């Protein structure tokens, strides 16, 4: 496929519940899609900038053009915002920054289409990358709306051992429905269960409820494992820390399944490596 006709799959990783695994899923899926041979862009839309701290080569406070300036500036910002190199090969980054809080207020007050700024600003990137992953903040306000309006697909990470893990899910679904008015093709890929342990009744209960609420579960669940935190400290993926750890294996299999479903590139070498593992 020529560069001109490429159209990135844009996946928003959304849940207004804090600490449910959005950034972890973004970074590990980005790393796996890149290993499969796809060109990947991570857009950090969270003022906490955890994805940027995880894979960025520059501290969020020192990045001259972050997603905040991209959202509020003119169309010339995109090339300045995209950092081609990160700590993960094949993954580029638009950093998050604290300025996103102010940018969200500015959008509300100044933009004629406050939900559609990101979609419009990312257009040139959609023609270049195979996949764009948007890491959302723990809120359902304008930043999340912008992510959903720019997205082709949505993933909702859910903390499987948390009895309140589905609290507010209805609001999230309402927001998706609302954004479909301006982005009718937005597709729900499903809930992704994080820190899942099939020996725990609460996890099984939540899995059943999540499936009912979101219509589908993603084909892999992610176990709790120390490789996840180690990966953040070492600025790599779970695969980079310990490829035989459960979370690394599960993110690999999830990415391979999604790559097939979304017609992204799938590397025969990676599949052969997986089969031999
Ligand atoms: N499978 C896992 N095993 C162990 N720890 C995990 C796992 N997934 C996530 N964590 C840890 O849980 C915490 C929250 O994860 P993460 O930062 O990905 O959530 P988040 O939804 O992005 O949070 P926020 O809403 O603050 O942006 C982090 O410390 C992360 O390292
Ligand atoms: Mg996060």
């Amino acid at each position: 496929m020529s560069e001109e006709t490429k159209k990135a799959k844009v996946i928003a990783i959304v849940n207004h519940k804090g600490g449910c695994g959005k950034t972890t899923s973004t970074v590990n899926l980005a790393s796996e899609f890149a290993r499969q041979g796809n060109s990947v862009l991570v857009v950090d839309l969270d003022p906490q900038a955890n994805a940027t701290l995880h894979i960025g080569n520059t501290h969020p406070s020192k990045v001259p053009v972050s997603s905040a300036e991209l959202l509020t500036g003119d169309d010339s910002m995109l090339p300045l915002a995209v950092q081609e190199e990160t700590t993960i090969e094949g993954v580029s980054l638009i950093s998050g920054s604290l300025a996103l809080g102010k940018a969200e207020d500015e959008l509300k007050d100044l933009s004629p289409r406050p939900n559609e700024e990101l979609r419009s600003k990312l257009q040139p990137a959609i023609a270049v990358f195979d996949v764009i992953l948007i890491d959302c903040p723990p809120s359902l306000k304008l930043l999340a709306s912008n992510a959903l309006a720019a997205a082709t697909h949505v993933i909702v990470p859910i903390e499987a051992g948390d009895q309140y893990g589905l609290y507010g899910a209805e609001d999230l679904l309402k927001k998706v429905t609302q954004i479909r008015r301006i982005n009718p093709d937005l597709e729900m890929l499903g809930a992704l269960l994080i820190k899942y342990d099939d020996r725990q009744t609460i996890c099984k209960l939540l899995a059943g409820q999540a499936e009912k609420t979101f219509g589908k579960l993603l084909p892999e669940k992610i176990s709790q494992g120390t490789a996840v935190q180690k990966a953040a400290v070492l600025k790599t993926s779970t695969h980079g820390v310990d490829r035989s750890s459960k979370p690394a294996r599960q993110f690999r299999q999830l990415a391979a399944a999604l790559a097939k479903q979304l017609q992204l590139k799938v590397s025969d070498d990676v599949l052969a490596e997986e089969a031999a593992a």
Side-chain angles (χ1 to χ4, degrees):
M1 195 182 272
S2 77
E3 292 292 298
E4 280 73 33
T5 57
K6 221 183 225 182
K7 199 159 185 302
K9 301 294 186 303
V10 183
I11 307 175
I13 319 277
V14 187
N15 191 341
H16 52 308
K17 200 163 181 333
C20 60
K22 294 180 288 293
T23 304
T24 301
S25 306
T26 303
V27 167
N28 284 286
L29 287 175
S31 159
E32 284 308 311
F33 287 143
R35 278 189 348 105
Q36 298 277 7
N38 296 286
S39 56
V40 182
L41 173 66
V42 167
V43 180
D44 187 349
L45 266 199
D46 186 353
Q48 301 175 100
N50 289 346
T52 305
L53 290 167
H54 191 149
I55 64 167
N57 284 326
T58 307
H59 191 274
S61 62
K62 302 243 160 50
V63 169
V65 182
S66 74
S67 55
E69 289 74 33
L70 179 73
L71 281 168
T72 55
D74 62 31
D75 286 344
S76 66
M77 288 292 166
L78 183 71
L80 304 171
V82 175
Q83 299 162 48
E84 279 175 26
E85 301 277 317
T86 63
T87 60
I88 297 182
E89 203 185 329
V91 179
S92 299
L93 172 70
I94 297 179
S95 287
S97 79
L98 270 179
L100 276 164
K102 196 160 153 263
E104 192 168 39
D105 292 340
E106 257 177 64
L107 283 184
K108 190 169 61 197
D109 296 339
L110 301 177
S111 170
R113 289 194 188 85
N115 290 314
E116 293 170 70
E117 283 297 333
L118 186 66
R119 170 155 80 179
S120 141
K121 299 288 170 46
L122 281 182
Q123 280 315 311
I126 288 169
V128 171
F129 288 93
D130 293 310
V131 57
I132 300 177
L133 292 159
I134 308 177
D135 186 21
C136 289
S139 114
L140 276 185
K141 293 194 286 185
L142 262 187
L143 294 171
S145 303
N146 266 271
L148 290 169
T152 53
H153 297 86
V154 191
I155 290 177
V156 183
I158 305 279
E159 190 177 340
D162 175 2
Q163 68 269 41
Y164 303 118
L166 282 168
Y167 184 74
E170 298 300 331
D171 296 330
L172 174 46
L173 285 170
K174 215 192 289 173
K175 174 63 73 176
V176 169
T177 305
Q178 183 195 340
I179 293 296
R180 280 199 179 116
R181 278 188 232 141
I182 52 173
N183 184 16
D185 297 332
L186 180 62
E187 194 181 320
M188 172 63 70
L189 288 173
L192 172 59
L193 293 161
I194 303 282
K195 300 187 192 171
Y196 186 81
D197 180 348
D198 59 11
R199 293 164 303 181
Q200 286 186 27
T201 316
I202 172 76
C203 289
K204 285 194 209 157
L205 272 173
L206 228 84
Q209 285 179 7
E211 186 166 15
K212 239 189 245 159
T213 307
F214 291 97
K216 49 196 137 170
L217 296 180
L218 287 180
E220 282 293 326
K221 303 177 180 79
I222 311 296
S223 302
Q224 180 146 8
T226 53
V228 171
Q229 276 122 336
K230 270 193 213 156
V233 174
L234 298 174
K235 292 182 142 250
T236 182
S237 61
T238 48
H239 179 91
V241 166
D242 177 2
R243 62 176 60 196
S244 59
S245 65
K246 267 191 185 174
R249 230 176 41 228
Q250 292 156 339
F251 275 120
R252 276 203 304 275
Q253 283 166 2
L254 175 62
L258 286 174
K260 271 190 210 149
Q261 183 182 343
L262 303 179
Q263 292 168 331
L264 296 170
K265 288 179 194 138
V266 182
S267 151
D268 290 339
D269 292 349
V270 172
L271 289 181
E273 187 190 324
E274 194 62 42

